[in-house]
Amino acid sequence: MALAETVISELRRLLGSDNVLTLKEDLIPYSFDGTAALRQMPGVVVFATTPEQAVGILRLANDTNTPVVTRGSGTGLSGGSVPVPDCLVLCLARMDRILELDRANLTLLSEAGATTQAISDAAASADLFYPPDPGSMKISTIGGNVAENSGGLRGLKYGITRNYVMGLEVVLPNGEILWTGNKCVKDVAGYSLKDLFIGSEGTLGVITKVLLKLIPKPAARKTMVATFARMAQAAQTVSDIVAARIIPCTLEFLDRTTIHCVEDFAKVGLPLDCEALLLMETDGHPAAVADEAAKMEQIAGQNGALQLRVAKDEAEATRLAAARRSAFSALARVSPTTILEDATVPRSELVRMIRFVEEVAKKYRLRIGTFGHMGDGNLHPTFLTDERNQDEMHRVEEAFQEIFSEAIRLGGTITGEHGIGVAKKSFLPKFAGDAQMRVMRELRRALDPKAILNPGKIFD
Amino acid sequence: LKHSHLKNLDYSVVQQCMHCGLCLPTCPTYDATKVERHSPRGRIALMRAIADDRLALTKAFAEEMYFCLGCLACMTACPAGVNYAELFEHARAEAEESGLLDSPKRNLIRTFAIRWLFMDLSRLQLIGCILRLYQRLGLQTLMRRSGVLKLLPKRLRELEAMTPNMQPRFSADLIAPVTPATGTQRYRVAMLLGCAQDLIFSDINRDTVEVLSANGCEVITPPAQFCCGSLHAHNGEWGLAQQLARRQIDQFPPEDFDAIITNAGGCGSHLKHYQKLLADDPLYKERASLWDRKVKDIHEWLVEIGIQLPANHPPPQVVTYHESCHLAHGQRVTAQPRQLLRSIPNLKLVELPESSWCCGSAGIYNLIQPEMADELLARKLRHIMSTDAATVVTGNPGCLLQLINGARGKRMNLRVAHPVTLLAEAYRGGS
């Protein structure tokens, strides 16, 4: 451990020894996050339980040039919370209180370590709705969601985390506490700094509190599953639905491999004899829901749906959505290493992109399972591989190069919702271009002159 | 090279965890501490580090393996299908073989309980008889009232208070070796009496046999049986567990029965995996696989063959159901106990919040990790109280004991029973 003993003892003094972990057995479980094949040992793991403690930690780190990697539940998928060598991991999982639910202003104030699920439940208990629902929402923290600007299954209609953040409390590397935003719907006083911190992947500050916008809970929803013999039919269904001026809250698809893995785990009765499955959900006023659902059924039928199943109640709808959310992890059933990507293209280019991914997989002799958010063009091609097979891992890398290049060529992005982290760092300069890279570098230097926050992430 | 359980494991089992973290919210020890090492994902990372030679087998690792409840809630939550049960048993076996946890007191207790007492159940019965005498003669009450117990160290006093009440008659005195089916015989089944169950809950064994008989099963229950070996396998005694598995198969040849019934969730979860346990034994491997398929939890079996609806209408009762971890997560039997309860007339089943969250019993966990166990028990009792049910039912002796002790400690007016007992009462016409 290269971290000075004086730093460790100062941390113990600041936080109490219960909140400072240094044993090798304690550090190994923090040497990774949800990203495949990335591992790095931290020097120390600490828990902050108040913003003031976070201030103390950052001051100490800044004074001693100790790199800090902020972490919630470690479910990220681009290596954002994977340690850098001998860093200090600042875990916020113990700052998990929901501080206020304001029914008059429809806002919720929470500490950064509260889980997305807890936020969603708290909102629901007041008949309100917090829509962003990333796959790991049962355990992902809201602070992590904001830092990664997470998406989810409802992006098409409801947007992503950014669309629900009204304010943030952030601790800066020099120990200053910054508050940005408020409960006003309208606020144009100065730069919108909160938007700078959203998606900053732990490189600009440590988010300690989050003020969220809530919306009324939709009065009704209807969930359907349609299966198709060809992926193109599913994609055409999605295009036709949007062309019919319907914006469903969910339009998710799974390919054959993914369907089998998900069914194997969740046992929700997904039909197995098809090439593509669409999970569709519409919500809102009961009359609108009934009308939209009928139209969606009709459109699926016109596109040759093999089977169409409507969830009979709320419980079945929830089970189907939960099954879809498990897709990434369920794919791990068929291979030791699952490498998930999230190349995203404008919706209109989706069919082309799916076909391209299939060709690339064939070209590099790779097994692949693809699923994703068809409504917002956010694909999750997942390579089913084995990290011990170096030759295959090399081919995976080359395949991704091609996929990202194609996504950019089609006017898309290299990551829709997982972030750059370390996994996609090498692709960013080409995607962002020189001017953006320069501005991002200067912003980062202005806020973190000693480069202690998540160094080596997003860009060097 | 020394034999290593973790290094010898098929690496794909170790590698199966893709550390997505979906197990974390279901893990009671992670929930209580928010420390990754106390989570399934963290523990698997440590096991893998040992298999990879990145971590030496250390005392901290060994202790961590005993801080895990082994509740297997993570297995239900895991979309990737990681076999945590297998990893965990091998990790504990490795910890035991390393001797890192050895201490004179621990060794003595383990030798006595695991290697002697539970290897031959007649020894356990003898102790049971002595305890029964002690309790029947009023000596226990006398001791408790006299204040002598106050001289004991705190932990021993706590343990004394947990001593279960022995049944006036053990299973062999209540159940004939062969019980014919009531009416037409449809099946021939064997019934495992269990170890502690046989002494503390022999009435549940009797109820189970009655219910089976009422459902057209001829029930074979030899009076002298063996421990299933789950205690041994879960506590790192792999060899003894194998020995006991062979004895079970010898005593109950699986080809002779339509089903081999257990009414203890913890035992059932282990009994269904003899094939893995005896995979390297050419003589038993095949039969172990048949055995695994024949072992049925009582709820599972009754629903499979169709429950005979009670003709009587017992008085109305409000009941809530606590799921034994190894029944729910180990065996994935969750709907059947509820179905059984719903088949009882006048019974209102109220769902228990967090019904499949561990109650802290976890085999012998409440004896070795009292703090965490007490925390979990308090949480469970709070939820039970919130249902306003007069009765809580559960399908595992460890949970039954834990809840009985908990309710007594909190002076709750709560009946703790096995679902089968309520069904037996309904058949008898209410009692």
Side-chain angles (χ1 to χ4, degrees):
Chain A
M1 246 162 284
L3 259 185
E5 196 47 49
T6 48
V7 174
I8 308 273
S9 52
E10 181 59 17
L11 287 167
R12 288 211 175 93
R13 200 189 58 76
L14 267 173
L15 311 166
S17 43
D18 275 0
N19 287 314
V20 181
L21 309 178
T22 53
L23 263 186
K24 194 173 180 190
E25 292 82 349
D26 272 316
L27 300 183
I28 288 173
Y30 288 91
S31 63
F32 52 84
D33 64 4
T35 319
L38 291 178
R39 192 166 58 214
Q40 186 61 252
M41 283 291 275
V44 62
V45 174
V46 301
F47 295 92
T49 50
T50 63
E52 291 69 32
Q53 287 184 341
V55 166
I57 294 164
L58 286 191
R59 277 208 184 116
L60 177 67
N62 210 31
D63 289 347
T64 55
N65 286 311
T66 308
V68 175
V69 176
T70 313
R71 176 186 172 108
S73 295
T75 57
L77 295 169
S78 56
S81 55
V82 171
V84 299
D86 297 316
C87 72
L88 179 156
V89 167
L90 169 52
C91 183
L92 299 179
R94 287 181 179 166
M95 279 177 74
D96 61 352
R97 287 176 308 159
I98 290 175
L99 301 170
E100 183 201 68
L101 200 153
D102 183 339
R103 289 162 205 251
N105 290 304
L106 304 190
T107 61
L108 183 150
L109 179 67
S110 164
E111 291 184 331
T115 62
T116 320
Q117 185 72 52
I119 301 234
S120 167
D121 291 347
S125 71
D127 241 348
L128 294 169
F129 185 34
Y130 176 70
D133 61 342
S136 54
M137 69 180 290
K138 277 190 180 159
I139 188 67
S140 64
T141 63
I142 192 67
N145 288 175
V146 174
E148 297 292 325
N149 193 11
S150 311
L153 274 58
R154 303 189 181 117
L156 172 63
K157 179 171 176 180
Y158 290 108
I160 54 176
T161 305
R162 179 185 300 281
N163 305 112
Y164 295 86
V165 176
M166 297 189 76
L168 293 175
E169 180 188 84
V170 183
V171 182
L172 299 176
N174 65 4
E176 261 180 300
I177 296 185
L178 173 148
W179 175 262
T180 163
N182 50 54
K183 291 182 183 174
C184 302
V185 173
K186 295 177 175 175
D187 171 19
V188 294
Y191 295 150
S192 179
L193 289 185
K194 73 172 168 29
D195 283 297
L196 184 60
F197 290 102
I198 299 168
S200 63
E201 304 192 22
T203 63
L204 301 180
V206 175
I207 297 164
T208 44
K209 284 196 191 93
V210 182
L211 179 70
L212 295 166
K213 173 174 92 172
L214 304 177
I215 59 174
K217 202 160 128 191
R221 68 167 169 161
K222 206 159 194 184
T223 306
M224 284 163 280
V225 170
T227 55
F228 300 89
R230 282 178 294 125
M231 182 61 83
Q233 296 172 313
Q236 193 58 47
T237 302
V238 170
S239 299
D240 291 353
I241 287 172
V242 178
R245 301 287 177 268
I246 299 172
I247 301 291
C249 71
T250 294
L251 279 175
E252 295 290 310
F253 83 96
L254 309 177
D255 73 355
R256 179 185 272 275
T257 307
T258 316
I259 297 166
H260 281 254
C261 287
V262 167
E263 181 56 22
D264 199 23
F265 162 63
K267 303 195 169 55
V268 284
L270 299 181
L272 298 174
D273 51 346
C274 57
E275 284 307 315
L277 181 151
L278 267 189
L279 175 70
M280 309 183 282
E281 189 171 291
T282 158
D283 65 358
H285 187 279
V289 166
D291 180 52
E292 287 183 356
K295 279 191 191 141
M296 283 155 70
E297 268 183 67
Q298 191 195 354
I299 292 169
Q302 283 162 359
N303 282 294
L306 299 171
Q307 251 197 66
L308 217 134
R309 170 175 149 202
V310 180
K312 62 178 187 301
D313 53 24
E314 184 79 15
E316 190 182 351
T318 306
R319 273 202 304 279
L320 287 168
R324 155 59 191 89
R325 249 182 237 114
S326 73
F328 161 50
S329 313
L331 278 169
R333 288 175 173 250
V334 293
S335 69
T337 310
T338 36
I339 301 188
L340 166 76
E341 279 310 334
D342 73 328
T344 301
V345 293
R347 193 167 41 232
S348 55
E349 303 292 346
L350 199 79
V351 180
R352 201 192 301 228
M353 191 65 201
I354 290 173
R355 220 173 282 141
F356 183 81
V357 168
E358 279 169 4
E359 282 161 22
V360 168
K362 214 174 283 165
K363 175 174 164 192
Y364 289 97
R365 292 172 287 121
L366 294 166
R367 258 193 99 179
I368 192 167
T370 300
F371 61 96
H373 318 293
M374 215 167 212
D376 49 32
N378 184 194
L379 286 180
H380 292 307
T382 305
F383 286 105
L384 312 172
T385 174
D386 186 339
E387 63 195 283
R388 290 173 301 171
N389 182 341
Q390 288 192 354
D391 170 60
E392 191 170 275
M393 288 299 278
H394 183 67
R395 278 183 278 132
V396 168
E397 225 160 275
E398 289 188 352
F400 277 132
Q401 294 265 13
E402 287 206 24
I403 290 173
F404 291 140
S405 297
E406 180 69 2
I408 296 171
R409 201 182 66 79
L410 294 173
T413 170
I414 54 177
T415 169
E417 58 183 359
H418 296 164
I420 297 289
V422 271
K424 265 162 279 185
K425 203 167 106 177
S426 59
F427 303 103
L428 184 64
K430 182 182 168 193
F431 172 71
D434 291 343
Q436 277 206 85
M437 290 306 293
R438 180 183 62 76
V439 173
M440 284 197 280
R441 281 205 173 90
E442 284 174 13
L443 274 171
R444 187 165 178 178
R445 208 172 301 136
L447 285 162
D448 181 18
K450 293 175 89 175
I452 61 159
L453 287 179
N454 226 357
K457 305 293 175 68
I458 310 182
F459 52 82
D460 285 316
Chain B
L1 201 79
K2 209 171 153 286
H3 169 82
S4 159
H5 282 265
L6 289 170
K7 283 177 197 149
N8 288 8
L9 259 185
D10 181 353
Y11 196 73
S12 66
V13 180
V14 188
Q15 215 181 3
Q16 190 71 41
C17 171
M18 35 85 78
H19 39 88
C20 63
L22 290 186
C23 53
L24 300 185
T26 67
C27 175
T29 54
Y30 178 77
D31 184 71
T33 62
K34 299 284 192 290
V35 172
E36 281 276 355
R37 172 180 144 181
H38 304 319
S39 78
R41 171 170 82 166
R43 291 177 180 123
I44 292 170
L46 293 178
M47 294 176 203
R48 185 169 175 178
I50 287 180
D52 287 349
D53 271 329
R54 282 181 287 117
L55 177 72
L57 191 67
T58 58
K59 193 168 178 196
F61 172 81
E63 283 169 350
E64 185 54 49
M65 293 308 118
Y66 280 93
F67 190 56
C68 171
L69 293 145
C71 71
L72 308 184
C74 51
M75 286 185 71
T76 299
C78 179
V82 174
N83 191 342
Y84 184 79
E86 190 181 356
L87 283 166
F88 168 69
E89 286 183 357
H90 282 285
R92 276 198 178 174
E94 181 134 356
E96 285 311 322
E97 283 164 25
S98 72
L100 284 162
L101 297 172
D102 285 1
S103 76
K105 189 173 136 205
R106 188 174 188 273
N107 293 358
L108 184 74
I109 295 174
R110 282 183 67 91
T111 305
F112 170 72
I114 298 177
R115 299 190 194 115
W116 186 78
L117 191 59
F118 282 85
M119 285 307 287
D120 180 345
L121 294 182
S122 64
R123 296 168 188 160
L124 187 68
Q125 284 182 342
L126 182 69
I127 302 245
C129 287
I130 296 168
L131 256 178
R132 180 166 65 187
L133 201 64
Y134 169 76
Q135 289 168 344
R136 299 249 111 191
L137 293 175
L139 289 173
Q140 185 176 51
T141 321
L142 197 69
M143 289 286 277
R144 282 179 180 177
R145 283 202 191 131
S146 70
V148 175
L149 295 175
K150 291 205 180 98
L151 300 173
L152 290 173
K154 181 165 171 283
R155 183 64 195 136
L156 277 182
R157 257 182 294 148
E158 287 166 1
L159 287 173
E160 195 282 335
M162 286 163 72
T163 320
N165 281 331
M166 296 297 126
Q167 289 277 323
R169 293 197 290 169
F170 298 159
S171 302
D173 299 331
L174 292 173
I175 304 164
V178 177
T179 306
T182 316
T184 321
Q185 179 184 327
R186 295 192 288 154
Y187 304 97
R188 182 170 191 265
V189 304
M191 220 294 274
L192 305 181
L193 298 171
C195 44
Q197 178 99 331
D198 178 29
L199 313 181
I200 311 165
F201 299 114
S202 50
D203 50 345
I204 296 176
N205 281 342
R206 179 205 54 211
D207 296 341
T208 308
V209 171
E210 268 187 40
V211 164
L212 282 166
S213 162
N215 280 276
C217 301
E218 181 193 32
V219 193
I220 314 298
T221 40
Q225 300 192 8
F226 298 100
C227 169
C228 68
S230 103
L231 177 71
H232 306 79
H234 295 161
N235 287 283
E237 293 290 349
W238 204 248
L240 296 180
Q242 287 170 327
Q243 206 176 318
L244 288 166
R246 289 189 200 101
R247 287 189 198 159
Q248 288 284 5
I249 295 176
D250 288 342
Q251 184 171 33
F252 299 102
E255 51 281 357
D256 291 359
F257 300 98
D258 293 309
I260 296 156
I261 307 293
T262 169
N263 56 15
C267 305
S269 175
H270 176 70
L271 284 159
K272 286 177 175 175
H273 297 103
Y274 277 2
Q275 193 199 358
K276 271 241 153 101
L277 190 62
L278 299 174
D280 298 328
D281 185 336
L283 284 176
Y284 279 86
K285 192 166 77 175
E286 292 293 315
R287 292 175 78 207
S289 138
L290 180 63
W291 167 276
D292 287 359
R293 273 175 282 141
K294 289 283 174 81
V295 173
K296 300 279 175 188
D297 176 74
I298 179 69
H299 308 92
E300 182 185 19
W301 174 248
L302 287 173
V303 169
E304 195 177 311
I305 64 174
I307 300 177
Q308 172 77 43
L309 295 180
N312 305 300
H313 282 246
Q317 53 182 333
V318 181
V319 175
T320 193
Y321 174 59
H322 159 64
E323 310 197 49
S324 132
C325 294
H326 282 207
L327 192 53
H329 305 302
Q331 303 183 56
R332 306 288 162 93
V333 173
T334 55
Q336 296 94 325
R338 292 175 166 92
Q339 262 167 280
L340 183 153
L341 291 165
R342 288 204 184 92
S343 74
I344 300 172
N346 285 336
L347 185 150
K348 185 183 166 204
L349 180 64
V350 187
E351 272 301 318
L352 179 65
E354 294 186 355
S355 64
S356 65
W357 196 264
C358 181
C359 66
S361 161
I364 55 168
Y365 192 87
N366 51 356
L367 304 179
I368 57 173
Q369 301 278 3
E371 242 171 79
M372 180 59 65
D374 284 352
E375 209 174 294
L376 291 171
L377 176 59
R379 179 174 180 153
K380 182 61 67 181
L381 292 173
R382 254 196 327 272
H383 284 311
I384 293 173
M385 276 191 265
S386 79
T387 65
D388 283 329
T391 304
V392 58
V393 289
T394 183
N396 184 52
C399 309
L400 285 163
L401 260 186
Q402 176 84 338
L403 296 178
I404 289 169
N405 281 327
R408 193 172 50 211
K410 283 231 160 29
R411 297 180 203 290
M412 284 165 72
N413 190 12
L414 179 73
R415 182 182 179 200
V416 183
H418 194 291
V420 158
T421 297
L422 300 194
L423 184 59
E425 284 172 1
Y427 286 146
R428 281 181 219 130
S431 62

